[in-house]
Structures are given as C-alpha cells and as structure tokens.
Amino acid sequence: MSGLIGKKIGMTSIFDENGKNIPCTVVQAGPCVITQVRTKEVDGYEALQLGFDDKKTANKAATGHAKKAGAVAMRKVVEFKGFEGEHKLGDSITVEHFIEGEFVDVSGISKGKGFQGVVKRHGFGGVGQATHGQHNRLRAPGSIGAASYPARVFKGMRMAGRMGGEKVKLENLRVLKVVADKNLLVIKGSIPGHNNSYVIIEK
C-alpha cells in the first residue's frame, strides 16, 4: 500500500458539523523524499523508498545513499508499494497524498510499560477474594501447571513480563483533516507510540 512516514505530535479533539466532540491525533506526515526507486528489472519488484526527518550526523553509507537523491541522510527510511504514476529519484511526496474522509492504516511502536504483572499485562482478574486466610495473593498469577506429569510449564503460558514496545497496527482510521501548509494530518482516535515517535501511514 502507498503511504507516508510521519511523526506523532499528540492528541486533541475537534467538533464535527453535528457538534459532537471527536478525539483525534495530530501527525506530521512528510514531506518524504524518494531516496530509491525499486524496479522489476533490477530488484524484482516495484516500490518507492521514502526518507523522512533529516539527520544532523550520519555515516558515509547513509550520506552517500541520500546524496544520489540530492538529499541529506534521513532518520527514518521505509519502502512503500502501490504508488501510482511516475516518480523520480529526489521527488518529494507531501501530506496532500491523503484526502479528507478516507481511511488509513497507522503502525508504530507502542509505549513501553516495563515489567508488568498478569493483571495489567493479560487482564487476569486476580484471586478476587481476600478471605480464607489470604493476605497477599490478590494479583497473583495462580497455578501455572499440573503435577509430576507433565512436570513442566507449557510454552505460551501467560505470565508477568516486559510489556509494550511492540509494533502495533491500527486499521481503518478516518482522516478528519489535511493541513497541507503545515504538513499535518488529523486522524480520528488514538495511534500507537509516544509523542514524537515515528509512525507509518498507509492507504
């Protein structure tokens, strides 16, 4: 799917024509520079490699790669398939690639929550009661296996552990507003990641 690389600015809310308050996320989408054009003859598939957010310092490999497109090294480089029309090396793709009212898919890295227990991480209910001599078991995971058979813990057993910091994709989010002069996209609802994190917007 064609799309753009963006940066999550933060959340706000706007009123629609019926006076309903809609929560939304503001994303700085582009402009993205085409740093490489993949073709069927050379690469075996067709795609555009886009770069976003200039890097102040970069190694020679990244600098030389961007120099071919007449650009500086980029912090985030992603390939997209499905772009229509002719696109040349060094061209810029702006937020006007999106239209108000259409639906997009947004993916990013979710906020890291650290080491969490089973109640927060997996939605366990806890023991539920504090009677019958229990004094410190309210959020405990409970039994994790049987007895001397199978004498092991099955793979995939839901336990406490590191939570968040994973790639998450939200589908079919409506584009509420496109602010072309500021490269901003207003998307309905929340999207994964902390503020100033990179997101990929596909349509």
Side-chain angles (χ1 to χ4, degrees):
M1 296 190 292
S2 65
L4 279 178
I5 310 166
K7 187 185 278 188
K8 179 177 174 178
I9 303 297
M11 287 197 72
T12 182
S13 61
I14 59 175
F15 290 94
D16 66 2
E17 60 274 3
N18 299 319
K20 189 177 179 183
N21 193 15
I22 301 173
C24 54
T25 307
V26 181
V27 178
Q28 180 193 338
C32 295
V33 179
I34 298 174
T35 52
Q36 193 170 3
V37 179
R38 302 283 193 183
T39 59
K40 258 217 166 89
E41 298 77 40
V42 178
D43 306 289
Y45 65 99
E46 291 183 349
L48 292 181
Q49 188 189 84
L50 302 183
F52 174 70
D53 206 6
D54 296 353
K55 245 184 185 179
K56 287 183 180 175
T57 56
N59 58 27
K60 286 187 178 180
T63 306
H65 182 69
K67 198 173 182 182
K68 293 176 186 175
V72 296
M74 304 286 178
R75 288 183 181 277
K76 187 76 174 171
V77 178
V78 180
E79 275 190 11
F80 293 91
K81 294 180 180 180
F83 273 101
E84 295 175 356
E86 284 287 318
H87 296 282
K88 289 182 289 193
L89 198 64
D91 286 356
S92 280
I93 298 175
T94 64
V95 73
E96 290 171 312
H97 180 66
F98 297 101
I99 306 161
E100 287 184 14
E102 72 179 346
F103 291 90
V104 294
D105 298 344
V106 180
S107 56
I109 305 295
S110 64
K111 287 181 179 179
K113 307 284 184 186
F115 193 101
Q116 297 297 331
V118 290
V119 173
K120 186 179 178 77
R121 193 181 188 208
H122 298 295
F124 282 20
V127 174
Q129 295 163 345
T131 55
H132 298 288
Q134 296 180 97
H135 65 98
N136 63 348
R137 308 291 298 157
L138 286 177
R139 298 173 71 89
S143 171
I144 60 167
S148 57
Y149 179 81
R152 66 190 178 94
V153 177
F154 290 119
K155 283 186 178 180
M157 178 68 64
R158 294 179 298 170
M159 294 184 179
R162 183 84 60 94
M163 182 182 175
E166 299 173 326
K167 186 173 181 182
V168 178
K169 187 174 192 176
L170 289 181
E171 298 179 328
N172 297 323
L173 302 177
R174 189 191 292 275
V175 176
L176 298 177
K177 201 177 280 187
V178 177
V179 187
D181 55 331
K182 293 183 179 176
N183 297 310
L184 296 180
L185 209 57
V186 181
I187 299 170
K188 184 178 179 182
S190 60
I191 63 173
H194 55 79
N195 291 350
N196 292 319
S197 64
Y198 294 112
V199 293
I200 295 166
I201 310 140
E202 297 174 305
K203 71 172 194 171

